[in-house]
Structure formats: structure tokens, C-alpha cells
Amino acid sequence: MAGGSRIGPWTSENLAAAAIPGPAEDAPQEYRNILCNKEPDYRRDPPLALLNAADVSEPGGFSRAGSWTHIKMSEPTIDGLRQAFLAADSRIRLSSQALDDDSTEIAAIAWDGGFLDGQAIRFNNGLNVLVGGRGAGKSLVIESLRYAMDAPVAGTLARGNHEALTKKVLGPSTKVSVLLRDAPPSSRWYIVERTGSAKPAVRGSDGTVIPGLDPMSLVEGLEIYGQHELSELTRDKKLLAKLLSRYIQQQDGGAATHARFHSDLSESRDDIEMCLDAIDRLEGEVGSLPKLRHQLEKMDELGARRMLQEKISFQETVDACLARKTALEELQSRVKKLADDLRGLRMDHPDEDGRNTMAHIGKIGGNQADNLVETINRGIDDIKVRLSELEAERPGLEGRLRPIEEALRTEGVEASAYEQIATDIKALTNKSKKLKDKREELVRHHEDRARLLDEVAEQSAEHLKMSERAAKKAGRELKGRVRVTVRPSDDLSELFRLLKEHVSGTGPQNTIDRVSDREDFTFRALASAVRSGEAALRNQFQLTEASARNVAAAGEALALRIEELNQAPAAYVQLNVGEVGSERWKPIEDLSAGQKATAVLLLLLGGSVAPLVIDQPEDDLDNRFIADTIVDTMRREKCRRQFVFSSHNANIPVLGDAEQIVTLQPSVTDGREHSQISRTETGSLDQEKVRAAVERLLEGGRVAFELRRAKYGY
């Protein structure tokens, strides 16, 4: 086979496969490039099928490397074998290559009740395509998966469609069950069940419910997209940037760390605002302290303290006399009653002498009590005299103090306020100490917040670097079809929301217009300028005088919230719209709706081993790219992950060489609309009835078959 003699056999159109003892990379140098389809003189389309085959005389011989090959066929027929040779990239795995079952898969789904009552689908771990006419229930299958798994909905419109479909079509009593298989080596089985508005329940292989288990945690990275949801994704650069995370190994706990930072910043803001409120309140109260101290000092200079002391001393004397007079009057009353009681003293006695003796004792006691009453009366009279003297002295006292009162009144204060002012000064002095403590506390809060913001900035920078690495890796994997650059987002919608909420007048729109023109803009810099005031806002961000005044007036409340905003990485996607063999890159903003969705779908197809579920992706795609670009990527990626698509476009199941095509047929039984899954028209394209269903149901069915026939001889 040296020289030209080997060209004939190796280039013959009748040659479909070649047997090799191991991987193609281990073949001798003179055959390696031919086997790998890299030698120009021997290039084939489709590439040659490579098989591991060896003479095996006993079962143990299959344990030898290179003695067997995995071949996908719906049925073990010669035609099936021939088609496998012609689609080797999709259907053949050498013994040295990993099988397609080394990732988590959605194994099956079933319905009890509703439009798909009694139906079930067993999914393949490669490419699954749901086909059927309008209203057959293809979208319901997709949304049932999302419903059962409680998977998130990325798009706003898609969320509304999902809720409407599950509410109206599934209804409150339909139970959806999903069978999951964990990735090897554990390969554990789980059943997820959900009915109505209840949360999903996860059962283990023994049927026991596993409490608190989130079904999405069982299929980490699972993505489900409804109709036109790809189109929604194209309009959100932050969501596009998140898609890039699939292309790199994320650090554990990254999302949790971000959530913790967000929570810590929110708590920090609450602490600062509570501290500021306390400071504002205390400053308002303590603000009157200098004035009160001045008033007290002035009153002291005018004799208010001496006047107050004299008044207090005089009144204390009067009050003491009155209190003593009242006490004596109460004692007098009690003694008078005692005298009456003694005089009326009687005692039963057996003889008259005894009775006379008791009467005599009572009389003596009564007389002594009368004497005491007289003594008390003299004391009361003395007090009355003293009170009269004090009342006579009062005009003189008031006369002496009147000039002081008039002088105080001239200063705008009443003499009677002296004591209250002194009390207020004492209370406010204590509050002044609290104010000092609060100001020191505020400084500590700001220092803690600054350290936290530094940590957030560090994490954001690391996140941006990881996103940039992901973008480069995505470009390499997508091989000249899509390329992505990453930079901090220029989306200022959250800033605009804050400005609308906190700033009056024309400030919000003017601020957005000015800051969006600055390439070095950061939220933290804007927050600092808000704190610094109008001049900083005019000088650093060229705000108008009115806008700067309005924004600065929002103060610390606005600054705290602005500096918490995050310039998350945003993906700027370009699609190669050139013909085969040429490159013509266009940014996603300049692409048609179909081209935008094509770029997003290419990103979704790669970078992950988790199942990807999409409802009618072709609705959003540029049809030219489906056959030229999408299908090639799909065929390559389905070897390591599961795809579940619904479709009206034959190019997806035919050129994608779907392992499982599921045909749904709408039906009416006893006036009830429902859908049935055709068992005879479910399988791969090896089966004649499946091919007939594809040609009958899908747009471009015959054309897709002709394209496949031209390439594979199908």
C-alpha cells in the first residue's frame, strides 16, 4: 500500500470503515493522519468510521483493549450498521472512548391526569427530539419538566407562558413524575413528583421520600428554556455573562460568597442609617444646649439664683409652719376624743366602791387630757402668729425680688423657668455624651463598610477575570463560530431606579446621561461624589448645577445604595456570519433576531455536561445556521450530555442524528382533548415509521433527508 497504490482503497466511496487496534492517535505515523481525516489527499466527507475489532475466541477476550466497539443502532440490522458507519461521530465509540452515559440524565417523565394523562416518555441520554403537529403537547412536555423540577425561568415572558401553561393545561390535579439517574459511578435513581401548587417531592430508589431535597441539586447545571426564551436571553448581557460560567471550573461557594457580601452590605447600611437617625435626633435635642447654658448664666448674673433661693427658703418656712399646724390640729382632735372616752369609762364591778373608784380614775384622766388640749391650742396659736408674721413679710420679699424678675423678663425669660432650665441642661449634657458615642460608633461602621466594599471589589475583579477566561475558552470550543468578550456591564438601569426613588426634579436622567459617557465610571466613585456634595458632582461628573444640587440633597441614603450596586461582568457576543471558509464577525447588537438566538444557542450547547432542554429553538434561529452551524455543534456535544428539544424543523432530528424521536399526536376521545405518544413512531431514524413521521410532520422533512442522503448516502 505504499505510494499511489494505497490511494485507491483508502479513497474508494465503497470504503465505510476501518479496523484499528486502539485509538487513532496510536496508529503508525503513515496512517495516523489518514485515519484522523487530516491528510488532504485522503480527506473524506463524512470521515471514515473507525472500529476496534479483534479475533475473540472466548468471552474473556473481550476484556482486552481494542477488541470491541460500541455501535448505536435502533435495531441490529445491516442497514443500521451501515448508517452507524456513515454517522460514526454520532453512533460509534471505540473501547478507549468514554460512553455517552457518564453524565446525569433525565431518564423518563410520566403524567397522571391532564392533557397527557397516562402517557410516558423514556428519554435517551443523547439527542431527544419531540415532534408533532400544532397543539400536540410538545411545549407541555418541556414545561412539565420545568414544573416538576421547579427549575428557574430566565425570561419574563417565558415565566408568564410557563405559569399559564401549567395552570391551564396541567391543572391542579395532574401529577407529573420525572425519573432521574445520577452520573456514574453511583448511578443512583430518583423519582421527582409534583402535583398542583405543592412543592416537588423527591423519592429514592426505594420509594421513600427524601425530605428537604431540592430536585435541581440532583441535576446540577440543568437548563430548561421555553418558547422564545432564547430571544429574551439575547437582550440581557448580564445573563449572557452568566452563561459563560459553564466554560470554566467555578470556585466552590462563589454564589454563596456573593450572597453573603450582599447581606453584609445591607446589614451595614441598616447600621449606618440607624446610627445617622440617632445622631440627627440627638443633634436636634442637644442643639439647644448652648442657648440654655447662656440663659442660665445670664439669669445667674441678674440674681436669679439668689432670688430663687430666697423664695425657696421663705416658702419652705411657710410650708413647715403649715405642716406643724396641721399635725397639731390632728393631735388635738385625737386628744379630745380620748378625754371623752375616759370620762365615759364604766366597768361592771360587784360593789359600789369599785365602781366609784373607776369613775374617779376616768375623771382624772379626762382632766389631764383637757390640759393637754389647752397646751396644743397654745402651740397652734403660736404657729398662727408666726404665719401672720410671714405673710406680713411677703410683700417686702416680693418687693426686694421684683427688680430681679423684671430684669429677667426684659431678657425674655421667666424667673420660674430657672429650675426647669437647670434640669434640662443636666439631661442634655447626658445626651451630649451619647451623641459623642454615636459619632464614634458611626466612624467604626464606616470603617467596617469600607473593608467590606474592598472585599466586594476584590471578589468582583476575580469574577471578571474568571469570566474573561470563560469567554476565551468558549471561543476555542466554538471554533470560529462565536466569540465573546467580557467587561463590566454598562447597564445603569439599577442606578436609574435609585435616582428616580431618591432624587427629585430632572436629576435622574441628567445623571445617567452624564455618567454613561465616562469610561472610568464606577458606582463607588459616584457614591463618594454624592457624599462630597454639589461641587464634586459638577467637577467629577459634569452634572448641571440643578442636577448636582438635587442629587447631593439625597445625601447618605443615596450614596450607601449606589456603592452597593455591582458592575457585574457583561458578555459582548459576536457571531461569524461569513460563508464557509471565511470570517465576518458582527456584534450581537447588529444581528437579526435569528442570528442573536443562534449565537446564544451555540453558547448553551457547549461548556456543560448537564442536560439541556429547549422548546422549539428553531423559532428564534436563523435557519441557515441550523444546518451549517448548530447541528454540527449539537452532534459533537451530544456525546457527553443529554439534549431534549421539541421542534418543527427536520434539520434538528435528521442532521443531528437524534437517538430518540418522540412523536406526539393530538386526539379527542369522548369530547375530551388529549395527546398520545405514538409507540410505533418513536425511536431513531433507522426505523422506517420514524422517518415517515419526520417527513410527514416536520417542516423541510424531505429536504433534510436529501441533505443527509447527499452527505451520508442515507
Side-chain angles (χ1 to χ4, degrees):
M1 301 220 17
S5 62
R6 68 181 180 185
I7 294 180
W10 281 103
T11 58
S12 171
E13 63 181 19
N14 295 318
L15 180 65
I20 57 176
E25 294 77 12
D26 294 346
Q29 180 63 46
E30 62 266 28
Y31 297 111
R32 189 180 307 159
N33 286 341
I34 297 175
L35 295 173
C36 294
N37 209 31
K38 295 179 180 179
E39 187 68 47
D41 292 338
Y42 299 88
R43 190 177 298 278
R44 306 171 63 92
D45 189 17
L48 191 66
L50 302 179
L51 307 174
N52 288 153
D55 292 333
V56 176
S57 58
E58 57 180 352
F62 287 108
S63 64
R64 295 194 301 270
S67 63
W68 48 267
T69 303
H70 284 280
I71 301 177
K72 286 184 180 179
M73 291 183 286
S74 298
E75 297 174 353
T77 63
I78 295 299
D79 187 55
L81 187 63
R82 177 175 174 273
Q83 294 308 319
F85 288 169
L86 295 174
D89 63 328
S90 175
R91 298 188 175 222
I92 293 179
R93 296 291 177 272
L94 300 179
S95 57
S96 60
Q97 293 176 310
L99 295 179
D100 300 350
D101 62 351
D102 59 350
S103 59
T104 303
E105 68 170 307
I106 302 170
I109 184 171
W111 294 262
D112 183 2
F115 189 71
L116 288 164
D117 182 33
Q119 303 299 301
I121 299 174
R122 172 65 171 97
F123 294 112
N124 192 282
N125 60 359
L127 173 60
N128 301 266
V129 182
L130 310 173
V131 301
R134 303 287 179 182
K138 301 184 300 298
S139 294
L140 183 59
V141 174
I142 302 299
E143 296 302 336
S144 294
L145 279 171
R146 175 139 61 183
Y147 160 78
M149 298 296 294
D150 201 16
V153 185
T156 303
L157 293 176
R159 186 177 299 109
N161 293 338
H162 169 73
E163 291 172 355
L165 195 61
T166 53
K167 182 177 180 180
K168 294 180 180 178
V169 184
L170 281 180
S173 60
T174 299
K175 181 171 76 171
V176 181
S177 303
V178 176
L179 180 65
L180 304 175
R181 182 186 65 86
D182 200 359
S186 64
S187 295
R188 288 168 296 192
W189 293 86
Y190 300 93
I191 297 176
V192 179
E193 297 176 339
R194 189 176 187 186
T195 304
S197 59
K199 286 291 184 182
V202 179
R203 298 181 183 274
S205 56
D206 61 354
T208 304
V209 173
I210 306 173
L213 185 59
D214 177 9
M216 288 296 288
S217 68
L218 300 174
V219 195
E220 188 174 355
L222 168 66
E223 293 171 289
I224 303 177
Y225 297 97
Q227 275 187 276
H228 305 297
E229 199 166 353
L230 295 185
S231 181
E232 283 197 75
L233 286 179
T234 66
R235 296 190 288 271
D236 193 324
K237 292 184 175 63
K238 291 180 181 177
L239 282 177
L240 290 178
K242 288 182 180 179
L243 295 182
L244 293 177
S245 62
R246 69 186 59 237
Y247 289 93
I248 55 174
Q249 184 66 39
Q250 294 283 356
Q251 291 182 346
D252 292 340
T257 301
H258 178 76
R260 178 178 63 80
F261 279 139
H262 181 76
S263 175
D264 289 348
L265 281 172
S266 179
E267 185 177 336
S268 165
R269 170 169 30 97
D270 290 343
D271 289 340
I272 289 175
E273 289 185 332
M274 288 176 62
C275 205
L276 286 171
D277 288 343
I279 289 173
D280 287 343
R281 175 176 52 78
L282 289 170
E283 284 180 340
E285 296 172 351
V286 173
S288 60
L289 187 57
K291 180 181 178 181
L292 291 176
R293 283 174 173 163
H294 175 73
Q295 285 181 342
L296 198 66
E297 290 173 359
K298 190 67 176 176
M299 292 174 80
D300 282 341
E301 291 175 2
L302 295 173
R305 184 189 297 273
R306 177 174 58 83
M307 178 189 71
L308 184 63
Q309 288 174 343
E310 285 194 44
K311 275 190 171 185
I312 290 173
S313 177
F314 180 83
Q315 190 61 43
E316 285 177 348
T317 302
V318 171
D319 292 343
C321 290
L322 289 171
R324 183 169 179 77
K325 176 176 173 290
T326 300
L328 288 174
E329 288 172 345
E330 290 177 353
L331 179 60
Q332 184 186 58
S333 176
R334 290 197 298 273
V335 173
K336 282 182 178 180
K337 184 175 183 306
L338 177 62
D340 293 339
D341 290 343
L342 287 171
R343 288 192 179 93
L345 184 64
R346 295 288 185 271
M347 181 177 288
D348 293 335
H349 202 274
D351 56 49
E352 185 177 353
D353 291 341
R355 288 194 294 274
N356 291 334
T357 301
M358 293 303 298
H360 180 69
I361 292 172
K363 181 178 180 181
I364 293 173
N367 292 336
Q368 290 178 340
D370 289 341
N371 293 334
L372 181 58
V373 168
E374 289 299 323
T375 302
I376 293 172
N377 280 336
R378 287 194 295 274
I380 292 174
D381 291 340
D382 291 342
I383 292 174
K384 288 180 179 178
V385 171
R386 180 56 182 153
L387 285 172
S388 297
E389 292 173 350
L390 289 172
E391 287 302 313
E393 294 174 5
R394 188 183 295 276
L397 173 66
E398 292 176 350
R400 292 196 309 276
L401 299 181
R402 189 173 295 114
I404 298 176
E405 289 180 333
E406 291 175 353
L408 289 170
R409 200 171 288 118
T410 302
E411 292 294 325
V413 292
E414 293 293 332
S416 58
Y418 183 93
E419 190 172 33
Q420 184 60 51
I421 291 174
T423 301
D424 291 345
I425 288 175
K426 183 177 180 180
L428 290 178
T429 300
N430 291 332
K431 289 184 177 181
S432 181
K433 294 177 181 177
K434 290 183 180 179
L435 176 60
K436 180 183 177 183
D437 293 340
K438 279 294 178 184
R439 284 172 174 161
E440 292 174 351
E441 181 184 340
L442 180 62
V443 170
R444 291 194 299 273
H445 283 319
H446 276 300
E447 290 173 346
D448 292 341
R449 184 176 179 84
R451 285 192 291 270
L452 184 58
L453 287 168
D454 288 340
E455 291 182 54
V456 171
E458 185 177 339
Q459 190 211 31
S460 297
E462 182 59 29
H463 187 198
L464 181 61
K465 290 178 183 177
M466 293 176 67
S467 298
E468 289 169 343
R469 292 197 296 271
K472 292 177 182 178
K473 185 175 181 182
R476 290 194 300 270
E477 290 197 14
L478 294 173
K479 298 180 179 178
R481 295 184 178 97
V482 174
R483 64 187 182 193
V484 187
T485 55
V486 175
R487 61 178 183 268
S489 173
D490 56 9
D491 179 13
L492 300 179
S493 58
E494 281 299 299
L495 174 61
F496 185 75
R497 180 187 62 78
L498 283 179
L499 293 172
K500 286 284 287 182
E501 184 178 333
H502 291 270
V503 178
S504 59
T506 59
Q509 189 58 56
N510 179 277
T511 303
I512 292 295
D513 292 342
R514 297 302 176 106
V515 302
S516 61
D517 293 335
R518 293 178 59 90
E519 293 184 2
D520 60 345
F521 167 77
T522 65
F523 290 119
R524 202 169 176 184
L526 178 60
S528 177
V530 172
R531 288 191 178 97
S532 298
E534 294 181 41
L537 288 166
R538 289 198 305 270
N539 295 334
Q540 295 179 38
F541 295 95
Q542 288 73 53
L543 296 192
T544 64
E545 185 174 343
S547 293
R549 181 171 59 253
N550 291 337
V551 173
E556 185 68 9
L558 176 60
L560 288 168
R561 286 159 176 79
I562 288 177
E563 67 187 5
E564 290 177 18
L565 297 178
N566 181 28
Q567 284 181 284
Y572 296 83
V573 180
Q574 291 179 304
L575 179 68
N576 181 6
V577 298
E579 299 297 331
V580 177
S582 66
E583 290 190 359
R584 186 159 66 90
W585 296 94
K586 290 181 68 174
I588 197 168
E589 295 84 358
D590 299 336
L591 297 174
S592 67
Q595 290 172 332
K596 290 178 180 179
T598 298
V600 172
L601 181 55
L602 285 170
L603 288 172
L604 287 173
L605 290 174
S608 176
V609 295
L612 175 64
V613 182
I614 306 179
D615 187 10
Q616 297 179 199
E618 73 276 2
D619 288 355
D620 296 318
L621 300 180
D622 186 311
N623 198 53
R624 177 173 72 87
F625 285 92
I626 295 177
D628 293 348
T629 303
I630 297 295
V631 168
D632 284 348
T633 306
M634 191 184 302
R635 286 171 68 97
R636 183 181 72 247
E637 293 297 325
K638 72 174 183 172
C639 298
R640 61 183 186 136
R641 67 185 302 199
Q642 183 183 41
F643 294 128
V644 178
F645 299 153
S646 72
S647 182
H648 291 292
N649 190 303
N651 285 322
I652 290 178
V654 176
L655 300 184
D657 194 24
E659 280 78 7
Q660 176 87 317
I661 297 173
V662 180
T663 304
L664 291 90
Q665 297 175 336
S667 180
V668 178
T669 303
D670 298 330
R672 182 180 67 87
E673 292 186 356
H674 61 98
S675 183
Q676 290 185 325
I677 296 169
S678 172
R679 301 305 172 194
T680 59
E681 295 180 340
T682 292
S684 81
L685 294 169
D686 292 350
Q687 299 164 288
E688 184 177 347
K689 289 186 177 181
V690 175
R691 292 198 298 272
V694 169
E695 187 170 329
R696 182 181 77 252
L697 293 171
L698 299 187
E699 299 164 0
R702 180 172 293 277
V703 173
F705 277 113
E706 291 298 332
L707 286 172
R708 197 163 188 269
R709 180 180 290 112
K711 184 171 184 179
Y712 301 117
Y714 189 39

